[in-house]
Structure formats: C-alpha cells, structure tokens
Amino acid sequence: MRNYILEICVDSVESAINAQRGGAARLELCSNLIIGGTTPTKSLFEEVKKNVDIPVNVLIRPRFGDFLYSDYEVNIIRNEIKMFKELGTDGIVAGILTKNGEIDLYNMKKFVDEAQDTPITFHRAFDVCKNPIEAFYQLQELGIQNILTSGQAQNCLKGKKLLKELVELSNKNNKSKTEILVGAGLNIGNIGEIINFTGATNFHFSAKKIKQSKMEYKKQDVNMGLKEFNEFEILEADERLVKEMTDYLRNL
C-alpha cells in the first residue's frame, strides 16, 4: 500500500486549524499566500504551533518576485532559517537561483548548513530554473528532502510529463531519496490523473476558499494594495476541501 502525504499551505492560524481538522499530514506555513507566499512572522508561527499537533514547515522567502537574491536577502534568509530552527520548526522551505537560472549551489549550501538536521524543501524556484533534471541531481546531492514543483508548468496537470520523469528519478535512489512534492493547481478533480500518470505520492494543496469579511461597514473603492484584490474577501483553507482530498488518498 502506498503511503500518501498531503501537505496544506496555510497563512493563518484559522487555516492551520482547518487543515488539521481535515486530516492534513503536514503544513507549510507562510504569509501572503495570495502572492505566492512570503516568510511568516515569529508570532504567527508560535500561535500556529500552539493550536496544531501536525508538523509545520516554514517558508523562508523574503519578498515577492524572482529568486535571485542580494547579499542582504541571503543574510535575511540565513538568519530566519536559524531563528525558526531554534523555535522548533519541523522543516524549512527555501530556494535560490543564479541570474542564469541555475541552482545557486554556493548559497543553497549555506542554507543547508544553517538548517543542520532540519529537513529542507526546495520550493517552486525549481519551476523557473533552466535545467530541471540537472537541478534535481544537484539538490539530491545537497540532501534536500523535498522538491515542490508543478513540473515547470502553470499547473501540475500541464506539467505531468516532467513530474513523471522526476518521480521516476526520485524512486531510483532510496538511500539519499529526494521526494517530489506535487503542487500548483491540484484539486480533487485532477489528483487521480496526476497519481496514475506520474506515480507521485506527495502532494501540496492550499484548499483555499473565499470567506467573506465580518465587517458590517464596508468602505468601497479604497484598496490597501493591489486593486485586483477585494479587501473584504479572505482566503482561508477549507476543512471540507482538505477532508475530501485526504479521504480520497486514504481510500486508494
């Protein structure tokens, strides 16, 4: 019997609680999920850990945008890896590229050294690197536990051919295995096809649902950030969507 893992990406305590209630095996904690996720605050991490019992991995990403980081940003990433390790994170989620689209091995090794024995997931910077097969072997050599990827496509269904190739590479070496963590656009309608085609067993899902603000007075036409976002709609992990996915995986 295959052992399937469902990781839920969350950016609030409410989402973390909902994910655990739905049966998630693990959380990836971030802030600002709506823009792809950035590093959460210390207080958010501590409050989540107070309220859930499942493992919590922490995304370390200092800003929105590309994965070519300045020396200042590299220092921030290293310091935050150290901080969250000391706070008791179960895993670190990080990644960095060179300007040529290759894995920045020099700085990635620094991140691994900071994490020490804390497992590392290389995030979706992998999906915009130049050579994913070469990158896979490099990350495997570094001892990276998971690679979060859509198969270098807009969503995991479109990237399923590369995902299949990566899963097969992962399965070839059980001694220093680097798992492929499938994410981006995953849902109950396509996970069966993804499993059957790629052979993947590890999945990353946000289970997002819009929750309406409880504000009674709603001032319109004033945006705190991007105009595309409604200030009175909150994205939150939905317990029912998580449970639907976990039930599906348990019954395979």
Side-chain angles (χ1 to χ4, degrees):
M1 182 181 293
R2 288 183 175 182
N3 182 29
Y4 294 100
I5 298 293
L6 182 65
E7 173 184 277
I8 304 297
C9 187
V10 301
D11 62 358
S12 69
V13 181
E14 291 84 355
S15 288
I17 292 169
N18 290 345
Q20 177 168 279
R21 286 175 177 167
R26 184 175 67 223
L27 302 177
E28 183 199 287
L29 180 64
C30 65
S31 288
N32 304 308
L33 183 53
I34 199 166
I35 55 170
T38 55
T39 308
T41 64
K42 173 178 178 285
S43 295
L44 175 57
F45 173 78
E46 289 176 332
E47 196 64 24
V48 166
K49 289 291 280 184
K50 284 180 192 175
N51 286 279
V52 300
D53 301 313
I54 57 178
V56 179
N57 291 355
V58 175
L59 174 67
I60 309 295
R61 186 184 179 208
R63 57 164 171 78
F64 169 79
D66 67 26
F67 304 103
L68 176 63
Y69 294 121
S70 69
D71 290 343
Y72 306 115
E73 290 169 326
V74 168
N75 288 338
I76 290 169
I77 293 169
R78 292 180 66 184
N79 288 336
E80 288 181 329
I81 289 172
K82 183 179 179 181
M83 178 184 74
F84 283 109
K85 176 179 171 56
E86 291 173 351
L87 289 171
T89 185
D90 296 286
I92 295 294
V93 184
I96 187 169
L97 301 178
T98 68
K99 64 182 179 180
N100 295 319
E102 298 170 340
I103 305 297
D104 184 342
L105 292 172
Y106 176 75
N107 283 308
M108 199 64 210
K109 286 175 182 175
K110 291 182 179 179
F111 300 165
V112 171
D113 288 343
E114 292 290 356
Q116 296 176 351
D117 57 344
T118 302
I120 293 182
T121 296
F122 193 91
H123 58 44
R124 289 192 65 210
F126 184 87
D127 283 330
V128 290
C129 75
K130 185 184 293 183
N131 188 328
I133 302 304
E134 179 184 44
F136 172 84
Y137 284 118
Q138 290 173 331
L139 294 171
Q140 186 179 57
E141 185 68 24
L142 281 175
I144 300 303
Q145 185 181 69
N146 300 298
I147 298 173
L148 173 60
T149 176
S150 64
Q152 293 208 322
Q154 192 61 34
N155 62 64
C156 58
L157 199 57
K158 290 182 178 179
K160 66 180 184 178
K161 289 184 180 179
L162 178 56
L163 287 171
K164 178 180 174 66
E165 187 174 359
L166 291 168
V167 169
E168 288 172 351
L169 288 175
S170 173
N171 290 337
K172 279 182 180 178
N173 191 342
N174 291 320
K175 186 175 290 186
S176 58
K177 189 171 181 179
T178 297
E179 298 276 4
I180 300 303
L181 180 60
V182 176
L186 190 71
N187 58 57
I188 195 65
N190 62 28
I191 191 169
E193 182 176 350
I194 293 294
I195 290 172
N196 291 334
F197 188 87
T198 69
T201 57
N202 298 282
F203 303 99
H204 177 92
F205 180 46
S206 62
K208 294 189 298 290
K209 191 173 182 180
I210 294 175
K211 183 177 78 172
Q212 295 300 321
S213 167
K214 293 181 180 180
M215 289 287 297
E216 294 179 0
Y217 172 72
K218 297 181 180 180
K219 176 70 174 177
Q220 301 299 323
D221 303 320
V222 178
N223 290 83
M224 299 297 112
L226 297 175
K227 292 186 293 183
E228 293 82 3
F229 300 153
N230 187 327
E231 306 293 345
F232 301 106
E233 290 182 346
I234 301 165
L235 288 174
E236 189 171 282
D238 184 72
E239 179 182 344
R240 182 186 61 81
L241 292 177
V242 178
K243 188 175 188 307
E244 189 177 42
M245 193 76 90
T246 54
D247 286 348
Y248 179 86
L249 294 173
R250 285 169 181 163
N251 291 323
L252 287 176

